[in-house]
Each structure stands twice: as structure tokens, then as C-alpha cells.
Amino acid sequence: MPNPYAEAGVDTAAGDLAVELMKSAVSATHNPSVLGGVGGFAGLYDVSFLKDFSRPLLATSTDGVGTKVAIAQAIDKHDTIGQDLVGMVVDDIVVVGARPLFMTDYIACGRVVPNRIADIVAGIARGCSATGTALVGGETAEHPGLLGPDDYDVAGAATGVVEASAQLGAHLVQDGDVVVAIESSGLHSNGYSLVRHILAQRGVSYTEQLPEFGAGVSVGEALLEPTRLYTSPLLALLESHPGAVHSLSHVTGGGIAANLARVLPVGSWVEVDRSTWQPLPVFRVLADMAGTPIEDTEGTWNLGIGMFAVVSAGAASDVIASLGAAGMPSWSVGTIAMSARELDGFEQGAKGVDGGAVRLVGSYAG
């Protein structure tokens, strides 16, 4: 019997196969708090443990991966995009000191290709496992006629919890605190519209190989370097150094100064010393292609800093050592001041937050 839905371009059988292919990866993220397994209309998560909190605060975040997916589609490599999604969503939750509990995902595509969808979700599941987050549900929606057959987009949302007394933020930041930068793995998932524009202007293909990216590595593969996941090392740091970390900033859209300013109190300021780090090669290559000083990209790309931790002065060296031991290279970039001064050239707050003032000074190392 003809299937009118299939004739319209929606293949429910392919969707069912995609679920079967991803089921084991998703189930591997589950813990005893997850009820019902895979495939329910809603994910269930037992939060009975919250009764032991004095004042539990739920934290939530939602995001996507942006136009980085266009590169994955161009070179038909889909196994890293999922980790990018987890990084964009879950690492926003740890910024307030919260431990992630669970996450859901949404994939919109022009055509369900089961192995492709399974690759994407397997990447999400790996990221969830690495951050201690249960992947409790998701949706794959086929949109023929709206998206091309090989087009897709991904988004997700996560929920976490923090004891109110342990919440991090600008309210804890003090005069003399040290700003610690934590290294990124590359572009993460921000600024890819600029990346794609630069490559198009220069006529560079994603399949080309450039010596700066390493032998045998194509431009597309280099640009798909997955987002570094900070949640587990940062939660371990908060536990091992109670009170040392006052605020955290995830360096995503908006760049370096704006994201740091969001987690500083009004009246504070800091000068971030560029000479303390050398931007990763991918940033210099792209800036050179664009014919622009790398400093001009500071409001778009992270330039090698994925997170900031604002910590008490006495704990800074221990924090840097602990993060380094956890595989997170870190260094001091500046000191918070509360004194009055002229703030011309500083960025003050961002994204509706009336925060502190930040500017980058000096020249980059190397």
C-alpha cells in the first residue's frame, strides 16, 4: 500500500532505524536517576536527592552549534558536532557552579540518513558521558522542502543544579582577584560565519591541506576540531578548592573581553595581558588570509581561551596547577581592580548584563 507520508519526503522507517543505531550510545549516559530508558514521549529524571539541599537552584541552558555544521556537511564528517553541542550547552551551566543533570537534543534535517544521525547523536552521548550528563531524550525531525536532503541543524538544552550558597558569580569577585585563562582546543563553535566567508573569499576548499594545520589534515578537518569540555575538571576544582573560584566565564559568542565583563561586578576593571599567550595557529592562519590584524578578531573568536576563572589571589597558583594536572593548560592574564579610573577603550558588560570593564593590552606572544 502506498505511503503518502513517504511520497511527501518523510521516511519514518529511516527514523526508526536511526533510533536503533543510537540507542546504545544514549543508554550509556544514563544513571539510576534516569527512568524509562530511550523512546518515551518525555524523559524522566528522579530528583529525590534535591531534598538534601538547603536551597537547590536549577540552572538551564540551550544552544546550537551554528554554521560549523556547514563544514561537517561539506566534508561528510559528523562524529564531532555532537561534542560541540554539549560544550556549548553544558559548559554554560558550570559557569554558575552547577552540576549538570540531564540534556535533550533536537536535530532538524532535510532527509534522515540513519548512520549520519547516529554519528551526531553518538557524539552528543560521548560529550554527555564526559561531563556526567544524562541524555534523556531528543527528537529528529525531517523537513523535506525546507532543508536540502543533506542539510541539518542541531540544538540542545540541559538542566543542572547548584546549592544557592555555592552559586558562582560577579557578587563574589573581589579587588585583587586573579583572572586565570583556560586554553581552548581551537575555534570551538563560534565565529564560523566569518571563517567560511574568509575561505570563500580566498577560494580555499575544505578538502585542501595547509602545512600550518599539520601533515595529512584537511582544512575542513582542522576546522572541525571539537570543542574542549570543561565541566568535569571545573567541578573537580570547585570541590577540591572550596571558595577559591569566584566566577567563571565561557568564552563563546561575543569574544574575549565581552564574555569576561559579564561575570565581573559593576565598578571593577581588568586589563587582560595579550603577551601571556600565543593564539593557536588556526587563528593566525585565518587572520592572515583575511588580511587583518589578529586583534581585530578578538570580538569574534576565542583566540585560544575557552574559559576564564576569576579566583582569589592566594589560590591562583594552586588553581593553575590543578587545572594543568587535569589536562587544562591555564595561566594568569590579569588582576581585578576596584579603583576608580578612566574606562575609555574598555568593554563594559555585554548581552544585557551591566558588568565590569575589560580591555586587552599589549601584543600577543610569538
Side-chain angles (χ1 to χ4, degrees), residues 279-333:
L280 298 172
V282 65
F283 299 111
R284 290 199 180 276
V285 170
L286 290 168
D288 288 346
M289 283 185 183
T292 188
I294 197 167
E295 290 82 1
D296 289 355
T297 69
E298 291 167 348
T300 304
W301 297 330
N302 66 62
L303 296 185
I305 298 176
M307 278 270 186
F308 285 112
V310 182
V311 306
S312 60
S317 59
D318 284 346
V319 165
I320 291 170
S322 293
L323 288 169
M328 297 281 166
S330 307
W331 63 96
S332 170
V333 297

Side-chain angles (χ1 to χ4, degrees), residues 110-182:
R111 171 176 59 111
V112 170
V113 179
N115 287 322
R116 180 190 300 158
I117 299 299
D119 277 351
I120 297 169
V121 176
I124 297 171
R126 285 192 299 272
C128 283
S129 292
T131 57
T133 310
L135 185 57
V136 298
E139 174 71 9
T140 299
E142 211 167 14
H143 296 322
L146 182 62
L147 296 172
D150 293 317
D151 292 339
Y152 66 82
D153 196 13
V154 295
T159 298
V161 65
V162 61
E163 183 70 73
S165 60
Q167 179 188 353
L168 304 180
H171 61 288
L172 297 178
V173 175
Q174 303 173 14
D175 186 60
D177 279 357
V178 173
V179 179
V180 173
I182 311 174

Side-chain angles (χ1 to χ4, degrees), residues 17 35 81 114 129 158 160 181 201 209 220 224 238 244-245 254 277 311 316 353 357:
L17 177 57
L35 307 178
I81 285 294
S129 292
Q201 290 289 99
Q209 294 184 12
L224 287 180
L238 296 178
V245 179
W277 85 98
V311 306
V353 177

Side-chain angles (χ1 to χ4, degrees), residues 10-91:
V10 177
D11 189 345
T12 55
D16 289 342
L17 177 57
V19 172
E20 286 301 316
L21 292 175
M22 70 178 73
K23 184 180 289 186
S24 62
V26 173
S27 297
T29 73
H30 291 180
N31 56 46
S33 292
V34 178
L35 307 178
V38 178
F41 282 95
L44 294 173
Y45 196 90
D46 185 348
V47 292
S48 300
F49 66 92
L50 293 182
K51 68 181 183 297
D52 298 325
F53 282 61
S54 296
R55 186 187 172 199
L57 302 180
L58 294 180
T60 186
S61 174
T62 187
D63 210 338
V65 176
T67 61
K68 189 173 185 176
V69 298
I71 299 173
Q73 292 161 17
I75 68 170
D76 197 23
K77 178 176 170 57
H78 312 281
D79 58 347
T80 59
I81 285 294
Q83 178 168 323
D84 292 310
L85 181 63
V86 175
M88 294 300 289
V89 174
V90 175
D91 280 343

